[in-house]
Amino acid sequence: MKTIIWINDTKLEALHFKAELMENSNVHSNKRKISFDFKVTSEDYHDIVVLLYQLNFRIRIPAQEWDFNASIIDYLTSITDLYKPNQVADYHLELLEQD
């Protein structure tokens, strides 16, 4: 099942979406941690890399009615150089809600 996730103004079709609450005992609050996979084509590679280098994002997940700020805590990709035409990479992204 795909989940639509907006990172800033970029719409992604997320696979294997997972959400959890991370307890922060220092400030007695919980923050959302989300993780998901998505596909990146060689045609979209540059735009996605520029987006992810921003590190801090506005996240909107319409199905959950969530809208929050987050930053990257981890990401993985199956291909690090998608400049060859017609390639598709698998990306895994983990984001943590920020104040």
Side-chain angles (χ1 to χ4, degrees), residues 54-65:
Q54 293 177 33
L55 302 178
N56 297 298
F57 314 100
R58 178 181 175 205
I59 303 300
R60 289 172 287 142
I61 306 172
Q64 305 280 14
E65 297 184 358

Side-chain angles (χ1 to χ4, degrees), residues 6 8 12 19 27 29 41 48 54 60 65-66 73 96 99:
W6 288 86
N8 295 343
L12 298 176
V27 293
S29 68
T41 64
I48 294 297
Q54 293 177 33
R60 289 172 287 142
E65 297 184 358
W66 287 353
I73 56 174
L96 182 63
D99 297 325

Side-chain angles (χ1 to χ4, degrees), residues 22 33-34 55 71-75 93-96 98:
M22 304 297 290
K33 175 187 169 189
I34 61 171
L55 302 178
S71 61
I72 294 175
I73 56 174
D74 197 12
Y75 84 95
L93 190 59
E94 295 182 12
L95 302 168
L96 182 63
Q98 299 300 307

Side-chain angles (χ1 to χ4, degrees), residues 11-60:
K11 179 182 176 182
L12 298 176
E13 292 185 356
L15 303 167
H16 309 112
F17 175 77
K18 180 180 174 185
E20 57 188 301
L21 287 177
M22 304 297 290
E23 187 174 331
N24 184 343
S25 59
N26 292 336
V27 293
H28 304 291
S29 68
N30 294 323
K31 293 186 178 188
R32 289 172 276 210
K33 175 187 169 189
I34 61 171
S35 61
F36 57 93
D37 301 326
F38 61 102
K39 304 283 186 185
V40 177
T41 64
S42 53
E43 292 77 24
D44 294 330
Y45 173 68
H46 177 76
D47 293 338
I48 294 297
V49 168
V50 169
L51 173 68
L52 296 180
Y53 274 138
Q54 293 177 33
L55 302 178
N56 297 298
F57 314 100
R58 178 181 175 205
I59 303 300
R60 289 172 287 142

